[in-house]
Amino acid sequence: MAAIAVGCGLSVLACGVAAGPAFAQSVAIEDEIAPATVDPVPEEPVPPGEVGIDDDDVLEDITVTATRTAEPVDHALSGTSVLDRSTIQTQTQPNRPSDFLDLIPGVTTSEQGGDPATAINIRGLQDFGRVNVMVDGARQNFQTSGHNANGAFYIDPEMIRSVDVTRGATATVYGSGAIGGVVDFRTLTADDVLSADQVVGGFVKAKYSTNGAEPLGHAEFAGRIGQAFDVVTAGTWSRSTDYRDGHYNRIENSWDDLLSGLAKARYRPTEDQQITASALLYRANFDKGTTTVRSTDATTETYSLGHTWAPLDNPLVDLRSNLYYTTTRTDQTEVAGNNVGSKRSFDVATTGFDVNNTSRFATGQIGHALTYGVDGFFDRVDNTDDQNNSNKYTPNGRRSVYGGFVQDQATWEWLEVISAVRLDGYELTGGNVDNSGGRASPKLTVGVTPVPWITVFGTYAEAYRAPAITETLINGIHPGVEFEFRPNPNLKPEVAHEFEGGVNLRFDDVLRDGDRVRVKAVAYYNQVDDYIDLKSVQIDPPPPPPTPGYYYQYQNVAKAVLWGGELEAVYDVGFAFAGLSGQIVRGVDQNTGEELASVPPDRLIATLGGRAFDARLVAGTRVSMVAGKNGSPSGWPESPGYTTVDLFASYQVTERISANLNLDNIFNRQYTQYLDLSASPGFNARLAVGIKL
């Protein structure tokens, strides 16, 4: 498989080609269909919970995270992918976000056992905010130290309306630190529940998974008063048991109980204004660990208040603001190990804001979309531990990060130029440390469309990431093998310098009338100066035994270099569709020449499917081929390559009743995804039935 992927020279995506028949999002903007959303737009039938999307919401759905401006994804001058709800639910019926995020090229996730938290890796970069994960514009900055990723988030897939992913350091307008990319989740609105003529309505769903014996119940209810006000509430309950891998071995402590809820209200005081208030709650119970096992209660609360104002008669004003608060807390009690009954908690809270405006005007024959704004967030970490250890490995502290930007998206006939600069600053305090810093990061993108079917683009962008609280302040003795973790108050921020080039291809009526081909090929080279990594440092002179002659400390690597390629390509002819998805990522520590442990393996995904009965039935298969990885110098074990085959089908039984069947890993292949701590599930069947009320 690796030879195939390398031979291609780039990786390919069709993660959304098999979405269900409802792509009402496609009605407002011609050719906005992304590689992740390529179904035609039949008038009927429309699945439950997928209707009532008006033109305003269309623009929101396809906002490209690299620029903040609404534009077709297959025209976007960046490595950007969009998955909508229909795609996510039809293809994967996800239990966790990784079920659909891993379909996107350049994106790899990692998880551990029963902990339903997800960590995201983009182009070999992860941890400590290198990937900016947002839910309704609210940053998810939760992190704990351990044998896991240093940065993860909790979200119920049933609450997701869409997800936009921008790969690389090009999204300077979406806050500080995102040297790897941006993942922007958006939760349900009333338009996802109500059809255009409904005042009150709902949607309920029941799902059952065989591997892990997971029953799930989900309900949504919404109402609107004219065009001025609407509200939506949703809730999910699920309970799983330990799953089994491809060898039928039970993976201990892989169960979890989930309860989540969403409440969102929108008020339009005038035709051109909208105020949105939302509250999202996620709570899960599970056991975490192997030798030392801790009963864990994880809770995430996200609150946001947003305002948009776009006067129809004033193109200079398209003002958007958002104020948010997110807190994630895990409370743990040791139930197996050396200190049974001891308790500890991790509590990370983030308060933030984001205000930006886009002014549209022309200078001669050149059109401009000038976007400018300010943003910032404040992290507070407060941890407790009966054994007085966890608050050393994940130390308490405070960090403020703030910035502003200006971006001009200039268009003239076949030429588009995006120029931007971002100013970042930060302050970090804790213990005896009081650090601060700042920097300006430029960006320049040039896109050329000589003929309507091709756009060629190139970008140079810089991005700035301030050191995290843990990287700076970690201080303690590792249990078992008692080596030291030492703080490093002299850490410098990371600075990414990324070159990205790509091409978008758009062909219609290729083999027959009505068919479409969409291709996005991207290659990149990212040089990260002062890259922060955990390093083993020899003590000179060495201490007498049994004290280890080394300690660990986060240090600035002089330079880390990552490079690779992606290619998103789909073919759709209405009654059938096909596509590929994949990635090639490479990355080294230039000090040592060793590969970075965070670099994921090559991956290639092929999707083939069809539609029947006026697109009421959508069915297909997905083959995922993942290359092997050698063990890394930092201790990650060798990861053999593997191939899995999945089947999926959705059927619109009646106007109100829909059914989905997903068969994952149908050959029960034994494998462990790279950077995961537990073997992945063997064969799993998932059946879901939804009813529109």
Side-chain angles (χ1 to χ4, degrees), residues 74-235:
D74 61 1
H75 289 66
L77 308 183
S78 61
T80 299
S81 298
V82 177
L83 293 176
D84 70 1
R85 191 185 189 195
S86 181
T87 304
I88 293 170
Q89 294 295 333
T90 299
Q91 280 219 24
T92 66
Q93 277 296 320
N95 291 333
R96 296 186 179 185
S98 58
D99 292 332
F100 57 86
L101 289 173
D102 285 338
L103 301 179
I104 300 175
V107 178
T108 306
T109 62
S110 61
E111 298 166 335
Q112 53 170 333
D115 189 343
T118 300
I120 298 180
N121 177 307
I122 295 183
R123 294 182 176 178
L125 290 171
Q126 65 179 58
D127 294 343
F128 298 118
R130 293 185 178 101
V131 175
N132 179 11
V133 178
M134 296 179 292
V135 176
D136 289 335
R139 294 181 72 118
Q140 307 297 303
N141 289 352
F142 181 68
Q143 178 270 323
T144 62
S145 297
H147 298 280
N148 50 265
N150 282 289
F153 65 97
Y154 295 92
I155 192 170
D156 174 13
E158 300 297 332
M159 302 298 181
I160 296 173
R161 154 177 237 224
S162 67
V163 56
D164 294 11
V165 177
T166 292
R167 304 178 291 276
T170 61
T172 57
V173 295
Y174 267 85
S176 180
I179 68 174
V182 174
V183 179
D184 184 14
F185 293 98
R186 302 177 192 186
T187 58
L188 303 175
T189 70
D191 296 317
D192 298 300
V193 183
L194 302 175
S195 56
D197 58 350
Q198 273 188 301
V199 175
V200 177
F203 177 70
V204 294
K205 183 173 82 169
K207 184 175 75 172
Y208 184 78
S209 302
T210 60
N211 192 352
E214 178 176 6
L216 177 145
H218 175 74
E220 304 162 8
F221 299 97
R224 63 164 61 106
I225 301 175
Q227 296 298 315
F229 179 79
D230 61 52
V231 62
V232 61
T233 61

Side-chain angles (χ1 to χ4, degrees), residues 400-447:
S400 300
V401 180
Y402 44 85
F405 66 89
V406 59
Q407 170 189 272
D408 181 32
Q409 189 170 356
T411 306
W412 173 77
E413 295 184 356
W414 47 265
L415 177 66
E416 183 175 352
V417 178
I418 303 172
S419 55
V421 63
R422 178 175 179 84
L423 300 176
D424 286 302
Y426 80 97
E427 298 175 1
L428 187 153
T429 60
N432 297 318
V433 174
D434 188 354
N435 285 349
S436 62
R439 188 181 188 275
S441 302
K443 169 186 170 180
L444 178 65
T445 297
V446 178

Side-chain angles (χ1 to χ4, degrees), residues 170 247 363 368 388 429 442 466 485 489 510 514 626 654 669:
T170 61
H247 288 159
T363 55
H368 297 268
N388 198 31
T429 60
F485 290 103
V510 179
V626 180
T654 69
R669 179 64 188 269

Side-chain angles (χ1 to χ4, degrees), residues 268-288:
R268 298 180 176 93
T270 63
E271 187 179 12
D272 50 21
Q273 290 191 75
Q274 178 173 286
I275 300 171
T276 302
S278 68
L280 182 65
L281 171 68
Y282 180 103
R283 183 171 183 177
N285 300 105
F286 50 91
D287 285 342
K288 186 171 183 177

Side-chain angles (χ1 to χ4, degrees), residues 246-590:
H247 288 159
Y248 301 101
N249 298 313
R250 183 170 63 88
I251 305 302
E252 293 186 1
N253 302 324
S254 60
W255 64 274
D256 69 84
D257 293 342
L258 165 69
L259 185 65
S260 73
L262 169 70
K264 181 181 294 186
R266 294 188 301 188
Y267 173 56
R268 298 180 176 93
T270 63
E271 187 179 12
D272 50 21
Q273 290 191 75
Q274 178 173 286
I275 300 171
T276 302
S278 68
L280 182 65
L281 171 68
Y282 180 103
R283 183 171 183 177
N285 300 105
F286 50 91
D287 285 342
K288 186 171 183 177
T290 52
T291 303
T292 300
V293 180
R294 294 182 173 91
S295 175
T296 303
D297 183 354
T299 303
T300 293
E301 299 174 52
T302 300
Y303 304 96
S304 61
L305 179 63
H307 175 257
T308 63
W309 180 39
L312 301 177
D313 58 352
N314 188 353
L316 297 180
V317 179
D318 186 354
L319 180 64
R320 297 169 183 263
S321 57
N322 190 41
L323 178 66
Y324 63 86
Y325 174 77
T326 295
T327 177
T328 299
R329 179 184 175 94
T330 59
D331 295 303
Q332 298 184 321
T333 301
E334 190 169 323
V335 295
N338 296 324
N339 299 287
V340 173
S342 66
K343 298 180 182 297
R344 67 180 189 178
S345 67
F346 300 92
D347 189 354
V348 178
T350 301
T351 304
F353 70 92
D354 180 4
V355 181
N356 65 88
N357 182 63
T358 298
S359 298
R360 296 175 174 86
F361 57 93
T363 55
Q365 295 183 334
I366 301 175
H368 297 268
L370 184 67
T371 304
Y372 42 93
V374 294
D375 53 68
F377 63 90
F378 172 74
D379 283 336
R380 172 189 56 79
V381 180
D382 287 324
N383 301 324
T384 62
D385 188 346
D386 289 352
Q387 304 300 313
N388 198 31
N389 287 322
S390 298
N391 54 356
K392 295 181 178 179
Y393 308 138
T394 309
N396 298 330
R398 306 289 185 269
R399 184 177 65 151
S400 300
V401 180
Y402 44 85
F405 66 89
V406 59
Q407 170 189 272
D408 181 32
Q409 189 170 356
T411 306
W412 173 77
E413 295 184 356
W414 47 265
L415 177 66
E416 183 175 352
V417 178
I418 303 172
S419 55
V421 63
R422 178 175 179 84
L423 300 176
D424 286 302
Y426 80 97
E427 298 175 1
L428 187 153
T429 60
N432 297 318
V433 174
D434 188 354
N435 285 349
S436 62
R439 188 181 188 275
S441 302
K443 169 186 170 180
L444 178 65
T445 297
V446 178
V448 177
T449 307
V451 290
W453 53 268
I454 183 172
T455 299
V456 180
F457 62 90
T459 294
Y460 173 74
E462 296 181 5
Y464 177 87
R465 186 184 76 87
I469 293 171
T470 291
E471 291 173 307
T472 306
L473 303 178
I474 187 171
N475 183 18
I477 304 295
H478 186 281
V481 182
E482 295 186 349
F483 57 82
E484 232 185 324
F485 290 103
R486 293 188 182 180
N488 187 353
N490 299 314
L491 275 179
K492 302 176 183 177
E494 296 175 340
V495 178
H497 309 261
E498 184 166 63
F499 294 89
E500 181 179 271
V503 59
N504 296 325
L505 302 176
R506 302 167 294 274
F507 302 101
D508 296 321
D509 306 322
V510 179
L511 300 179
R512 56 177 292 165
D513 291 345
D515 69 358
R516 292 181 296 182
V517 175
R518 297 293 184 266
V519 178
K520 181 189 287 287
V522 178
Y524 60 90
Y525 177 89
N526 191 1
Q527 174 184 304
V528 183
D529 293 342
D530 294 318
Y531 180 81
I532 300 173
D533 202 3
L534 188 63
K535 291 294 184 181
S536 173
V537 181
Q538 298 299 314
I539 300 174
D540 188 21
T547 303
Y550 61 93
Y551 62 89
Y552 276 88
Q553 185 181 55
Y554 283 99
Q555 296 189 349
N556 291 108
V557 173
K559 191 179 297 182
V561 176
L562 302 104
W563 67 96
E566 301 144 0
L567 175 71
E568 304 174 311
V570 295
Y571 175 74
D572 194 295
V573 68
F575 65 86
F577 49 85
L580 296 171
S581 166
Q583 63 188 32
I584 293 175
V585 186
R586 300 289 183 269
V588 297
D589 175 348
Q590 285 204 334

